[in-house]
């Protein structure tokens, strides 16, 4: 039976998964440099392996609540088609191997409102929403402003 590996993380006390194929790395939250006039969900830029990466707060994006920073807080660096972003999460818990047939599609109503959730994994006493990072990032308002700002920073470094 075919399986899929998911990086499981926590946001607003709920569990989410991102396919490992999108994950570049999982890092401890380091110094984040704020950028003026950016959306509330963008915490700023963080240097990861000599690359500047925008840090996006999953709590703000998913629930409009700022992620509380603790010793467990992590950033999951994911690669989308256009850029790498760091998703700030409460906790990056584990890498879980799930059978593809346990990932169920969302109902039509939920799928229209949350097109970045590709399915739900229903395990014993656990319900995990599977997130497509590219759709999540592309669906954010002001994402074009962030991409432009990233290009300006990259050009300034060269």
């Amino acid at each position: 039976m075919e399986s899929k590996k998911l990086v499981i993380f926590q946001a607003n006390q709920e569990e989410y998964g991102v396919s490992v194929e999108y994950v570049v790395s999982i890092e401890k939250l380091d110094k984040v440099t704020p950028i003026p006039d950016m959306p509330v969900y963008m915490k700023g830029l963080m240097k990861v392996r000599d690359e500047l990466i925008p840090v996006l707060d999953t709590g703000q994006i998913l629930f409009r609540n700022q992620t509380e920073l603790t010793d467990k807080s992590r950033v999951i660096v994911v690669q989308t088609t256009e850029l790498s972003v760091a998703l700030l999460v409460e906790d990056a818990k584990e890498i879980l191997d799930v059978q593809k047939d346990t990932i169920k599609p969302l109902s039509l109503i939920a799928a229209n409102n949350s097109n970045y959730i590709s399915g739900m994994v229903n395990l014993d006493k656990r319900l995990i929403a599977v997130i497509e990072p590219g759709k999540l990032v592309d669906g954010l308002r002001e994402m074009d402003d962030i991409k432009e700002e990233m290009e300006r920073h990259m050009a300034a470094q060269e």
Side-chain angles (χ1 to χ4, degrees):
M1 206 171 275
E2 206 172 344
S3 67
K4 184 174 191 130
K5 288 189 185 312
L6 300 173
V7 173
I8 305 302
F9 68 89
Q10 194 169 324
N12 206 38
Q13 307 301 315
E14 299 295 327
E15 287 188 310
Y16 294 88
V18 175
S19 177
V20 294
E21 66 191 83
Y22 299 112
V23 177
V24 176
S25 65
I26 299 171
E27 310 282 339
K28 281 190 171 188
L29 185 63
D30 201 8
K31 184 180 183 308
V32 176
T33 304
I35 304 292
D37 300 323
M38 284 289 116
V40 69
Y41 59 78
M42 182 168 165
K43 304 310 276 175
L45 297 176
M46 182 174 139
K47 196 175 236 182
V48 178
R49 298 184 183 139
D50 291 331
E51 186 180 348
L52 286 176
I53 298 185
V55 177
L56 308 180
D57 186 340
T58 57
Q60 279 287 355
I61 294 168
L62 300 172
F63 299 102
R64 291 180 176 72
N65 291 331
Q66 189 169 323
T67 297
E68 187 178 326
L69 301 180
T70 68
D71 289 343
K72 290 183 173 185
S73 299
R74 296 288 181 270
V75 290
I76 301 173
V77 180
V78 295
Q79 181 65 51
T80 68
T81 50
E82 295 192 34
L83 77 161
S84 293
V85 297
L87 300 175
L88 175 61
V89 300
E90 291 170 10
D91 189 5
K93 300 175 82 172
E94 62 187 306
I95 295 176
L96 191 62
D97 211 352
V98 297
Q99 299 303 317
K100 282 195 174 178
D101 63 352
T102 64
I103 302 173
K104 304 296 182 201
L106 284 182
S107 71
L108 195 56
I109 295 166
N112 287 338
N113 294 330
S114 307
N115 72 339
Y116 53 84
I117 297 179
S118 62
M120 298 295 290
V121 178
N122 190 356
L123 302 174
D124 296 340
K125 300 179 184 172
R126 292 174 82 180
L127 195 59
I128 301 167
V130 180
I131 290 182
E132 295 290 331
K135 288 182 180 178
L136 179 74
V137 170
D138 289 345
L140 295 173
R141 281 180 287 160
E142 299 122 350
M143 201 58 215
D144 290 337
D145 295 341
I146 293 172
K147 290 174 187 171
E148 285 175 24
E149 190 63 32
M150 290 302 302
E151 288 169 8
R152 270 198 290 279
H153 272 277
M154 300 298 258
Q157 283 189 330
E158 291 175 0

